Amino acid sequence: MASSIIARRTANFIPGELCARKAGQPARPTDRVLVALVGNPNVGKSTLFNLLTGLRQHTGNWPGKTVAVAWGEYRYRNRVYRLIDLPGIYSLESASCEEEVAREFILRCRPDVTVVVLDPGCLARNLGLVLEVIAHTPRTVVCINFLDEAHRKGMSIDLEGLARHLSVEVVGTSAVCGQGIDELKKAIEKVASASAEEPELPRCVPGVASLKGRKFGLASNIPSAREIARQVLRLNRATGGRADSGWLDRLFTSRILCLPTMGGLMGLILWLTLCGANCPCDLLLGTFSLLEPRLADALTLLGVPEPIVEFLITGVYRTMTWVLAVMLPPVTIFFLLWAVLEDGGVLPRVAFHLDCLFRKAGSQGKQALTMGMGLGCNAVGVISCRIMNSPRERLMSMLTNCFIPCNGRFPTLIILAGMFTGGRTVWGLFWLLVIGVAVALAMSFFLSRTLLSGPPSGFALEVPPLRRPYLRHILGRTLRERVIAVVARAVSVAAPAGGIVWVLANTEWAGKSVLLHLAQGLNPVGHWLGMDGFILSAFILGLPANEIVLPTLLMAYMSAGGLVQVDSLADLQGFLFAHGWTPTTALCMALFSLLHYPCATTLITIARESKSCKWALVGFGLPLGVACAVCFLVARAGAIR
Amino acid sequence: MKKGYEEKTAIPLDVLPRGCRAVVVGLDCAEETSRDLVRFGIVPGAVIEPVWVSLFGDPRAYRVEGSVVALRNEEARRVLVAGS
């Protein structure tokens, strides 16, 4: 087997964990070879990492995507290589938190081989980093990625000439089509098995007499980097190596058309999601409810006692299948389309255009990127806030990330949007998302004037070129990260939660079930907020995972009055209306779901990332307060009307 | 062929018209900010050209060293450019 998967972890940076050997000691042939991948953001490090190790790490087309250190291992000619994918850095004298991780790793852990990945599109700037790295460790392999793209742009690079200039191994790859991976492995092996002695430092860097013993800044490297780039880069065509920005890019970056383009694109994605998801949702719901009595019969035949069958079927099975049926189709379709935007590089353009709004709110455009991540999962969104420059803005983005509906809340919102708009679900969903973003901005504004006041930091963001997304990557990634994640959550969270809720709904105490006690106790508060006690109970019980809010609610209603068969989404909506719901109830629940506290995982992540429980409490209390206030106002307005 | 910025006197980058190419001649800012700019290759001698203007006009995007970098006018003001 050429490369075998041994382990994979994304970890916060713990040097000792990743390099078991003592720092600075050369690798013995039996040891794992420690290989670090470094480079500017957006040069395709993560794609290379995936190709080398056969592992899958989330890749995307914007700077700062790899916020934690990911590592994997591969085997090549009987040696095991431990590959570490570091966050992108521009220089070793870096500023922001995630760049610090990469810097510390290279300087402290001293990997056996450092692979510097370059984008030929901006060779001169990339070479500045190469010179810095080489000055620290000569055991370096330079890997020029995106060779196919460079050829398309009419550039060719003299790899041998570059190797002569730098006195290190130089390899050309094209990660998207998998070219040059074997050569890269060979080059890594060559450097790893070279004698442990410090090889001679490069001699012929133009304009620099000796590299040894000098500390370099990126600024002082750039003239020599530019000189090397000039010598090795050949431009073949009249394009002069400059990418034609293309009509799509012009559309996204136009001042007048960008807003309609972005809004239209979001609307289109939502529309396609809803159109595509309706039928499979109903099909799944129908199939699962068809199977339900058969499964119950089978269990009874096997001699399982009646209450246990009841518990397994109406508690565990039903919750789990609801979560699967309601979530799987929309989440799969939506994130398939979202991945196209992510990989294509649309998000940095959105951040660019919206920076002005974020600045008025006391933050900066990069927050839009963290919100984009939050759409998938708020916990991931909170981690991605490491790309923010100042601690103040980072906390602000962490605390407001939950106003973007994660995929656990998304299907709930779809169902509710259909109810309060009377069938115009796309519009309902679109406005809910706009409200989420607006509230996130408003709360950033509030925080930056109160708890997190301080000087604003600047905004400087590299906007990568639009790249054609690769269907294979997108399909594979959506399948692994969304479909499997949804199924795993349904089994690991929804199934036990369903069991617990069933027990609560069926344990009698003082003549009523415990759940009914809770719901009736919360009823006055619920009515104040335009909902009822059952809905609030569902939100409270749904703290571990937002997915289970709706199934919990259904079970609570059913325990209060009769079982019904739910075969389709229309049935589901009809069932809720039958329990005294009005469109205002649906709107209030949708707003509460959109704005309320994030799930427990996200809260724990906030506590860990901010290293304080205080901020996790704020992350719980602030959204809860906002949600209550908004729902109260909407309920009052609905009552007047 | 794009026209270059002809004037020899240095002007701040934020007033350089879109589509005009110029050369960076100096950075007029604290070390902290200049480090941010240097990361993107904005150092004296680099050729820079404003390419896009954002929705509200403030951050503008510049092509420099083969990549496109978005900068707020506040930061761009610190970069002095002149015709080559």
Side-chain angles (χ1 to χ4, degrees):
Chain A
M1 204 158 75
S3 74
S4 63
I5 302 163
I6 298 167
R8 190 246 157 136
R9 270 250 345 238
T10 49
N12 285 330
F13 180 61
I14 308 161
E17 189 183 340
L18 289 176
C19 41
R21 254 174 314 107
K22 228 169 138 189
Q25 278 183 2
R28 290 188 305 274
T30 50
D31 275 339
R32 297 207 159 108
V33 182
L34 197 61
V35 183
L37 273 180
V38 288
N40 280 191
N42 256 305
V43 291
K45 286 184 300 297
S46 297
T47 317
L48 270 179
F49 174 85
N50 291 343
L51 274 170
L52 282 169
T53 58
L55 297 171
R56 297 300 166 185
Q57 206 218 325
H58 200 149
T59 58
N61 190 2
W62 76 70
K65 194 66 203 293
T66 309
V67 284
V69 176
W71 60 270
E73 294 184 346
Y74 71 92
R75 193 182 287 277
Y76 182 74
R77 295 202 185 149
N78 295 326
R79 282 183 89 173
V80 179
Y81 295 80
R82 177 171 286 185
L83 193 65
I84 287 120
D85 185 18
L86 294 171
I89 50 170
Y90 288 100
S91 159
L92 289 182
E93 42 179 41
S94 290
S96 83
C97 165
E98 100 273 5
E99 289 183 330
E100 193 72 15
V101 170
R103 195 184 88 107
E104 287 291 295
F105 189 84
I106 298 169
L107 300 188
R108 294 268 168 78
C109 266
R110 304 195 69 86
D112 300 313
V113 183
T114 308
V115 180
V116 190
V117 188
L118 309 188
D119 176 359
C122 34
L123 194 62
R125 195 189 69 198
N126 284 223
L127 279 171
L129 176 67
V130 173
L131 291 180
E132 260 189 297
V133 171
I134 292 179
H136 281 105
T137 163
R139 306 169 70 89
T140 302
V141 174
V142 171
C143 167
I144 310 232
N145 202 7
F146 295 129
L147 268 191
D148 55 333
E149 198 178 278
H151 284 305
R152 266 204 308 281
K153 284 189 204 165
M155 293 179 195
S156 70
I157 290 147
D158 177 11
L159 296 180
E160 282 154 26
L162 188 59
R164 266 200 314 281
H165 273 298
L166 301 172
S167 310
V168 293
E169 292 287 319
V170 176
V171 189
T173 57
S174 169
V176 277
C177 21
Q179 269 171 24
I181 297 303
D182 218 50
E183 285 87 337
L184 180 59
K185 284 183 179 171
K186 214 175 282 170
I188 293 173
E189 189 210 15
K190 199 170 153 194
V191 174
S193 44
S195 74
E197 249 99 282
E198 290 267 299
E200 214 180 321
L201 280 164
R203 301 158 302 260
C204 34
V205 177
V208 182
S210 156
L211 285 165
K212 195 142 200 159
R214 267 183 65 183
K215 281 279 169 214
F216 284 91
L218 183 64
S220 52
N221 276 337
I222 282 185
S224 13
R226 207 179 277 148
E227 178 58 28
I228 299 175
R230 201 182 57 78
Q231 287 182 26
V232 298
L233 201 64
R234 295 272 168 278
L235 305 178
N236 305 342
R237 262 188 288 146
T239 53
R242 283 151 66 90
D244 177 29
S245 56
W247 62 272
L248 204 57
D249 208 8
R250 252 173 271 149
L251 210 56
F252 278 118
T253 54
S254 147
R255 255 180 104 166
I256 306 152
L257 292 176
C258 68
L259 211 54
T261 309
M262 291 177 331
L265 207 59
M266 200 64 216
L268 181 72
I269 289 185
L270 293 177
W271 182 73
L272 286 173
T273 306
L274 295 174
C275 284
N278 236 334
C279 190
C281 269
D282 288 354
L283 201 71
L284 281 174
L285 276 174
T287 317
F288 284 136
S289 73
L290 205 69
L291 285 174
E292 198 182 292
R294 315 239 155 117
L295 207 62
D297 288 346
L299 283 174
T300 318
L301 270 179
L302 283 172
V304 182
E306 182 70 22
I308 304 231
V309 174
E310 188 76 352
F311 166 79
L312 285 176
I313 295 298
T314 49
V316 177
Y317 173 83
R318 205 174 266 179
T319 313
M320 195 176 80
T321 54
W322 266 333
V323 169
L324 276 181
V326 171
M327 285 193 63
L328 208 49
V331 165
T332 309
I333 299 172
F334 180 83
F335 285 101
L336 206 61
L337 298 168
W338 183 252
V340 174
L341 295 195
E342 249 181 25
D343 273 18
V346 172
L347 264 67
R349 282 159 179 77
V350 175
F352 168 63
H353 283 300
L354 296 187
D355 173 64
C356 200
L357 287 181
F358 281 101
R359 183 179 46 184
K360 294 225 166 75
S363 180
Q364 56 144 308
K366 279 189 199 168
Q367 196 179 340
L369 299 180
T370 67
M371 285 157 95
M373 289 296 281
L375 202 54
C377 166
N378 288 138
V380 175
V382 166
I383 295 174
S384 78
C385 292
R386 292 181 189 177
I387 63 170
M388 307 298 285
N389 304 40
S390 78
R392 188 184 72 86
E393 285 166 2
R394 185 173 159 205
L395 263 174
M396 206 146 75
S397 328
M398 271 159 51
L399 296 177
T400 53
N401 198 274
C402 64
F403 295 122
I404 303 302
C406 63
N407 71 17
R409 285 181 278 170
F410 201 66
T412 312
L413 293 179
I414 292 178
I415 292 167
L416 295 172
M419 292 173 73
F420 69 76
T421 54
R424 281 143 86 189
T425 317
V426 179
W427 281 108
L429 210 53
F430 183 82
W431 286 112
L432 280 176
L433 277 176
V434 172
I435 291 171
V437 174
V439 170
L441 279 168
M443 282 303 112
S444 301
F445 181 84
F446 169 74
L447 284 170
S448 70
R449 297 296 184 287
T450 52
L451 287 176
L452 292 168
S453 58
S457 79
F459 169 71
L461 178 73
E462 186 183 349
V463 185
L466 284 181
R467 292 200 165 109
R468 185 200 301 272
Y470 281 78
L471 195 66
R472 201 165 50 89
H473 287 190
I474 287 175
L475 278 177
R477 206 178 92 201
T478 310
L479 193 74
R480 276 186 312 271
E481 286 182 11
R482 304 295 168 201
V483 177
I484 293 178
V486 167
V487 174
R489 290 271 282 197
V491 175
S492 66
V493 180
I500 292 168
V501 175
W502 187 88
V503 171
L504 287 179
N506 288 279
T507 314
E508 297 265 318
W509 182 62
K512 279 185 293 187
S513 76
V514 176
L515 193 58
L516 207 58
H517 274 294
L518 183 66
Q520 283 175 347
L522 287 170
N523 238 345
V525 187
H527 284 304
W528 259 52
L529 300 176
M531 296 178 278
D532 61 27
F534 288 99
I535 304 177
L536 283 191
S537 321
F539 275 119
I540 290 170
L541 294 170
L543 179 66
N546 282 302
E547 287 91 334
I548 62 168
V549 169
L550 205 58
T552 308
L553 179 61
L554 295 181
M555 204 184 301
Y557 278 141
M558 284 179 183
S559 75
L563 288 173
V564 282
Q565 197 78 335
V566 175
D567 292 339
S568 68
L569 289 181
D571 272 8
L572 197 72
Q573 292 169 344
F575 173 77
L576 292 174
F577 277 128
H579 278 83
W581 280 41
T582 60
T584 315
T585 321
L587 177 61
C588 284
M589 183 174 168
L591 287 170
F592 197 82
S593 171
L594 178 72
L595 305 175
H596 81 307
Y597 47 81
C599 69
T601 316
T602 308
L603 290 172
I604 293 168
T605 312
I606 293 179
R608 213 179 44 216
E609 289 289 306
S610 64
K611 296 192 181 65
S612 112
C613 289
K614 190 184 96 186
W615 290 115
L617 273 179
V618 176
F620 178 86
L622 179 82
L624 182 63
V626 173
C628 289
V630 170
C631 285
F632 177 75
L633 290 176
V634 170
R636 287 314 99 199
I640 292 163
R641 205 172 55 123
Chain B
M1 197 65 202
K2 293 262 171 73
K3 67 172 187 229
Y5 176 70
E6 300 295 337
E7 293 297 318
K8 292 288 180 223
T9 46
I11 54 163
L13 181 59
D14 65 318
V15 298
L16 184 70
R18 198 173 146 190
C20 269
R21 250 193 261 175
V23 176
V24 177
V25 290
L27 303 178
D28 167 31
C29 50
E31 201 191 332
E32 197 78 355
T33 324
S34 90
R35 203 162 57 184
D36 261 5
L37 296 172
V38 168
R39 283 149 39 103
F40 296 119
I42 304 176
V43 288
V47 176
I48 197 162
E49 172 197 343
V51 282
W52 310 324
V53 181
S54 74
L55 185 58
F56 301 98
D58 190 350
R60 294 204 302 169
Y62 303 87
R63 190 187 301 283
V64 57
E65 299 284 1
S67 60
V68 176
V69 176
L71 285 183
R72 283 185 186 163
N73 289 347
E74 210 177 304
E75 275 105 48
R77 200 165 298 139
R78 315 282 187 167
V79 181
L80 296 176
V81 296
S84 43

mmCIF file of all heavy atoms in Angstrom, chain A residues 512-540:
data_model
loop_
_atom_site.group_PDB
_atom_site.id
_atom_site.type_symbol
_atom_site.label_atom_id
_atom_site.label_comp_id
_atom_site.label_asym_id
_atom_site.label_seq_id
_atom_site.Cartn_x
_atom_site.Cartn_y
_atom_site.Cartn_z
ATOM 1 N N LYS A 512 -49.895 13.596 36.163
ATOM 2 C CA LYS A 512 -49.529 14.090 34.841
ATOM 3 C C LYS A 512 -48.094 13.678 34.549
ATOM 4 O O LYS A 512 -47.317 13.394 35.467
ATOM 5 C CB LYS A 512 -49.627 15.629 34.806
ATOM 6 C CG LYS A 512 -51.037 16.137 34.603
ATOM 7 C CD LYS A 512 -51.067 17.649 34.444
ATOM 8 C CE LYS A 512 -50.662 18.333 35.753
ATOM 9 N NZ LYS A 512 -50.834 19.795 35.690
ATOM 10 N N SER A 513 -47.732 13.677 33.268
ATOM 11 C CA SER A 513 -46.356 13.328 32.949
ATOM 12 C C SER A 513 -45.433 14.491 33.318
ATOM 13 O O SER A 513 -45.857 15.644 33.401
ATOM 14 C CB SER A 513 -46.222 12.998 31.464
ATOM 15 O OG SER A 513 -46.238 14.178 30.712
ATOM 16 N N VAL A 514 -44.165 14.151 33.542
ATOM 17 C CA VAL A 514 -43.185 15.160 33.949
ATOM 18 C C VAL A 514 -43.080 16.249 32.886
ATOM 19 O O VAL A 514 -43.008 17.441 33.189
ATOM 20 C CB VAL A 514 -41.816 14.485 34.185
ATOM 21 C CG1 VAL A 514 -40.762 15.538 34.520
ATOM 22 C CG2 VAL A 514 -41.919 13.463 35.297
ATOM 23 N N LEU A 515 -43.088 15.800 31.616
ATOM 24 C CA LEU A 515 -42.966 16.756 30.516
ATOM 25 C C LEU A 515 -44.149 17.728 30.506
ATOM 26 O O LEU A 515 -43.978 18.924 30.267
ATOM 27 C CB LEU A 515 -42.897 15.981 29.195
ATOM 28 C CG LEU A 515 -42.466 16.766 27.966
ATOM 29 C CD1 LEU A 515 -41.107 17.389 28.164
ATOM 30 C CD2 LEU A 515 -42.453 15.859 26.748
ATOM 31 N N LEU A 516 -45.321 17.177 30.819
ATOM 32 C CA LEU A 516 -46.510 18.028 30.832
ATOM 33 C C LEU A 516 -46.413 19.056 31.958
ATOM 34 O O LEU A 516 -46.784 20.219 31.788
ATOM 35 C CB LEU A 516 -47.758 17.150 31.007
ATOM 36 C CG LEU A 516 -49.059 17.712 30.438
ATOM 37 C CD1 LEU A 516 -48.930 17.999 28.963
ATOM 38 C CD2 LEU A 516 -50.204 16.740 30.702
ATOM 39 N N HIS A 517 -45.898 18.617 33.109
ATOM 40 C CA HIS A 517 -45.671 19.549 34.222
ATOM 41 C C HIS A 517 -44.788 20.704 33.767
ATOM 42 O O HIS A 517 -45.085 21.872 34.008
ATOM 43 C CB HIS A 517 -44.978 18.820 35.382
ATOM 44 C CG HIS A 517 -45.936 18.133 36.285
ATOM 45 N ND1 HIS A 517 -46.844 18.811 37.064
ATOM 46 C CD2 HIS A 517 -46.124 16.816 36.556
ATOM 47 C CE1 HIS A 517 -47.559 17.950 37.759
ATOM 48 N NE2 HIS A 517 -47.143 16.714 37.462
ATOM 49 N N LEU A 518 -43.685 20.323 33.117
ATOM 50 C CA LEU A 518 -42.715 21.321 32.660
ATOM 51 C C LEU A 518 -43.381 22.280 31.679
ATOM 52 O O LEU A 518 -43.269 23.507 31.810
ATOM 53 C CB LEU A 518 -41.527 20.609 31.996
ATOM 54 C CG LEU A 518 -40.371 21.478 31.513
ATOM 55 C CD1 LEU A 518 -39.668 22.131 32.682
ATOM 56 C CD2 LEU A 518 -39.378 20.635 30.707
ATOM 57 N N ALA A 519 -44.097 21.683 30.708
ATOM 58 C CA ALA A 519 -44.714 22.499 29.666
ATOM 59 C C ALA A 519 -45.751 23.440 30.261
ATOM 60 O O ALA A 519 -45.804 24.621 29.919
ATOM 61 C CB ALA A 519 -45.351 21.603 28.610
ATOM 62 N N GLN A 520 -46.551 22.921 31.207
ATOM 63 C CA GLN A 520 -47.583 23.782 31.780
ATOM 64 C C GLN A 520 -46.975 24.864 32.660
ATOM 65 O O GLN A 520 -47.472 25.985 32.719
ATOM 66 C CB GLN A 520 -48.593 22.937 32.551
ATOM 67 C CG GLN A 520 -49.530 22.248 31.573
ATOM 68 C CD GLN A 520 -50.485 21.294 32.245
ATOM 69 O OE1 GLN A 520 -50.312 20.958 33.422
ATOM 70 N NE2 GLN A 520 -51.480 20.833 31.508
ATOM 71 N N GLY A 521 -45.876 24.504 33.325
ATOM 72 C CA GLY A 521 -45.177 25.504 34.135
ATOM 73 C C GLY A 521 -44.643 26.636 33.277
ATOM 74 O O GLY A 521 -44.645 27.801 33.682
ATOM 75 N N LEU A 522 -44.176 26.290 32.088
ATOM 76 C CA LEU A 522 -43.571 27.298 31.220
ATOM 77 C C LEU A 522 -44.601 28.028 30.361
ATOM 78 O O LEU A 522 -44.262 28.979 29.669
ATOM 79 C CB LEU A 522 -42.541 26.634 30.302
ATOM 80 C CG LEU A 522 -41.228 26.203 30.958
ATOM 81 C CD1 LEU A 522 -40.424 25.344 30.005
ATOM 82 C CD2 LEU A 522 -40.415 27.413 31.392
ATOM 83 N N ASN A 523 -45.836 27.552 30.405
ATOM 84 C CA ASN A 523 -46.860 28.109 29.522
ATOM 85 C C ASN A 523 -47.001 29.633 29.588
ATOM 86 O O ASN A 523 -47.016 30.281 28.546
ATOM 87 C CB ASN A 523 -48.207 27.449 29.797
ATOM 88 C CG ASN A 523 -48.758 26.799 28.550
ATOM 89 O OD1 ASN A 523 -48.276 27.074 27.446
ATOM 90 N ND2 ASN A 523 -49.738 25.940 28.697
ATOM 91 N N PRO A 524 -47.069 30.219 30.801
ATOM 92 C CA PRO A 524 -47.215 31.688 30.838
ATOM 93 C C PRO A 524 -46.060 32.397 30.134
ATOM 94 O O PRO A 524 -46.286 33.325 29.342
ATOM 95 C CB PRO A 524 -47.199 31.997 32.343
ATOM 96 C CG PRO A 524 -47.481 30.724 33.037
ATOM 97 C CD PRO A 524 -47.070 29.620 32.136
ATOM 98 N N VAL A 525 -44.841 31.941 30.396
ATOM 99 C CA VAL A 525 -43.678 32.556 29.739
ATOM 100 C C VAL A 525 -43.783 32.362 28.239
ATOM 101 O O VAL A 525 -43.554 33.279 27.449
ATOM 102 C CB VAL A 525 -42.368 31.924 30.259
ATOM 103 C CG1 VAL A 525 -41.168 32.677 29.710
ATOM 104 C CG2 VAL A 525 -42.334 31.888 31.767
ATOM 105 N N GLY A 526 -44.166 31.134 27.849
ATOM 106 C CA GLY A 526 -44.291 30.821 26.433
ATOM 107 C C GLY A 526 -45.278 31.743 25.737
ATOM 108 O O GLY A 526 -45.009 32.252 24.661
ATOM 109 N N HIS A 527 -46.427 31.982 26.384
ATOM 110 C CA HIS A 527 -47.428 32.844 25.757
ATOM 111 C C HIS A 527 -46.938 34.273 25.616
ATOM 112 O O HIS A 527 -47.220 34.940 24.640
ATOM 113 C CB HIS A 527 -48.741 32.785 26.550
ATOM 114 C CG HIS A 527 -49.482 31.506 26.288
ATOM 115 N ND1 HIS A 527 -49.839 31.116 25.019
ATOM 116 C CD2 HIS A 527 -49.884 30.511 27.114
ATOM 117 C CE1 HIS A 527 -50.446 29.956 25.075
ATOM 118 N NE2 HIS A 527 -50.473 29.547 26.339
ATOM 119 N N TRP A 528 -46.177 34.705 26.604
ATOM 120 C CA TRP A 528 -45.567 36.028 26.522
ATOM 121 C C TRP A 528 -44.710 36.165 25.280
ATOM 122 O O TRP A 528 -44.645 37.208 24.660
ATOM 123 C CB TRP A 528 -44.664 36.223 27.743
ATOM 124 C CG TRP A 528 -45.278 37.050 28.789
ATOM 125 C CD1 TRP A 528 -46.516 36.877 29.351
ATOM 126 C CD2 TRP A 528 -44.691 38.184 29.404
ATOM 127 N NE1 TRP A 528 -46.721 37.844 30.290
ATOM 128 C CE2 TRP A 528 -45.621 38.656 30.346
ATOM 129 C CE3 TRP A 528 -43.482 38.843 29.271
ATOM 130 C CZ2 TRP A 528 -45.368 39.760 31.135
ATOM 131 C CZ3 TRP A 528 -43.221 39.939 30.058
ATOM 132 C CH2 TRP A 528 -44.164 40.404 30.975
ATOM 133 N N LEU A 529 -44.012 35.075 24.949
ATOM 134 C CA LEU A 529 -43.072 35.113 23.829
ATOM 135 C C LEU A 529 -43.737 34.657 22.529
ATOM 136 O O LEU A 529 -43.059 34.360 21.554
ATOM 137 C CB LEU A 529 -41.859 34.229 24.121
ATOM 138 C CG LEU A 529 -41.066 34.616 25.366
ATOM 139 C CD1 LEU A 529 -39.948 33.633 25.617
ATOM 140 C CD2 LEU A 529 -40.508 36.024 25.233
ATOM 141 N N GLY A 530 -45.046 34.548 22.523
ATOM 142 C CA GLY A 530 -45.748 34.171 21.304
ATOM 143 C C GLY A 530 -45.715 32.684 21.021
ATOM 144 O O GLY A 530 -46.053 32.266 19.921
ATOM 145 N N MET A 531 -45.256 31.902 21.990
ATOM 146 C CA MET A 531 -45.198 30.450 21.771
ATOM 147 C C MET A 531 -46.005 29.787 22.878
ATOM 148 O O MET A 531 -46.902 30.400 23.438
ATOM 149 C CB MET A 531 -43.747 29.991 21.793
ATOM 150 C CG MET A 531 -42.943 30.584 20.652
ATOM 151 S SD MET A 531 -41.226 30.118 20.670
ATOM 152 C CE MET A 531 -40.531 31.245 21.836
ATOM 153 N N ASP A 532 -45.703 28.521 23.202
ATOM 154 C CA ASP A 532 -46.333 27.920 24.371
ATOM 155 C C ASP A 532 -45.291 27.137 25.176
ATOM 156 O O ASP A 532 -44.126 27.083 24.803
ATOM 157 C CB ASP A 532 -47.524 27.043 23.965
ATOM 158 C CG ASP A 532 -47.118 25.895 23.074
ATOM 159 O OD1 ASP A 532 -45.960 25.468 23.164
ATOM 160 O OD2 ASP A 532 -47.951 25.430 22.285
ATOM 161 N N GLY A 533 -45.730 26.576 26.269
ATOM 162 C CA GLY A 533 -44.813 25.891 27.170
ATOM 163 C C GLY A 533 -44.132 24.699 26.536
ATOM 164 O O GLY A 533 -42.974 24.388 26.853
ATOM 165 N N PHE A 534 -44.844 24.029 25.623
ATOM 166 C CA PHE A 534 -44.246 22.859 24.974
ATOM 167 C C PHE A 534 -43.027 23.264 24.148
ATOM 168 O O PHE A 534 -42.000 22.598 24.163
ATOM 169 C CB PHE A 534 -45.284 22.175 24.080
ATOM 170 C CG PHE A 534 -46.335 21.449 24.845
ATOM 171 C CD1 PHE A 534 -47.579 22.018 25.078
ATOM 172 C CD2 PHE A 534 -46.085 20.182 25.344
ATOM 173 C CE1 PHE A 534 -48.550 21.351 25.801
ATOM 174 C CE2 PHE A 534 -47.049 19.498 26.060
ATOM 175 C CZ PHE A 534 -48.288 20.091 26.291
ATOM 176 N N ILE A 535 -43.180 24.386 23.423
ATOM 177 C CA ILE A 535 -42.078 24.822 22.562
ATOM 178 C C ILE A 535 -40.871 25.185 23.421
ATOM 179 O O ILE A 535 -39.736 24.787 23.131
ATOM 180 C CB ILE A 535 -42.515 26.030 21.696
ATOM 181 C CG1 ILE A 535 -43.758 25.664 20.886
ATOM 182 C CG2 ILE A 535 -41.385 26.470 20.789
ATOM 183 C CD1 ILE A 535 -44.306 26.793 20.057
ATOM 184 N N LEU A 536 -41.119 25.907 24.511
ATOM 185 C CA LEU A 536 -40.004 26.292 25.373
ATOM 186 C C LEU A 536 -39.340 25.067 25.994
ATOM 187 O O LEU A 536 -38.110 24.998 26.086
ATOM 188 C CB LEU A 536 -40.483 27.245 26.469
ATOM 189 C CG LEU A 536 -40.733 28.691 26.055
ATOM 190 C CD1 LEU A 536 -40.928 29.563 27.281
ATOM 191 C CD2 LEU A 536 -39.581 29.229 25.218
ATOM 192 N N SER A 537 -40.170 24.086 26.416
ATOM 193 C CA SER A 537 -39.580 22.860 26.965
ATOM 194 C C SER A 537 -38.685 22.205 25.936
ATOM 195 O O SER A 537 -37.597 21.710 26.262
ATOM 196 C CB SER A 537 -40.654 21.851 27.366
ATOM 197 O OG SER A 537 -41.741 22.482 27.948
ATOM 198 N N ALA A 538 -39.150 22.199 24.674
ATOM 199 C CA ALA A 538 -38.355 21.569 23.617
ATOM 200 C C ALA A 538 -37.027 22.298 23.450
ATOM 201 O O ALA A 538 -35.977 21.671 23.275
ATOM 202 C CB ALA A 538 -39.126 21.574 22.299
ATOM 203 N N PHE A 539 -37.053 23.632 23.531
ATOM 204 C CA PHE A 539 -35.803 24.382 23.398
ATOM 205 C C PHE A 539 -34.867 24.091 24.572
ATOM 206 O O PHE A 539 -33.648 23.999 24.410
ATOM 207 C CB PHE A 539 -36.069 25.885 23.304
ATOM 208 C CG PHE A 539 -36.384 26.334 21.907
ATOM 209 C CD1 PHE A 539 -37.596 26.910 21.597
ATOM 210 C CD2 PHE A 539 -35.442 26.169 20.893
ATOM 211 C CE1 PHE A 539 -37.889 27.314 20.302
ATOM 212 C CE2 PHE A 539 -35.731 26.574 19.601
ATOM 213 C CZ PHE A 539 -36.952 27.147 19.306
ATOM 214 N N ILE A 540 -35.453 23.943 25.773
ATOM 215 C CA ILE A 540 -34.603 23.666 26.936
ATOM 216 C C ILE A 540 -33.984 22.277 26.812
ATOM 217 O O ILE A 540 -32.791 22.089 27.007
ATOM 218 C CB ILE A 540 -35.424 23.797 28.234
ATOM 219 C CG1 ILE A 540 -35.767 25.272 28.457
ATOM 220 C CG2 ILE A 540 -34.642 23.252 29.422
ATOM 221 C CD1 ILE A 540 -36.752 25.514 29.557
#
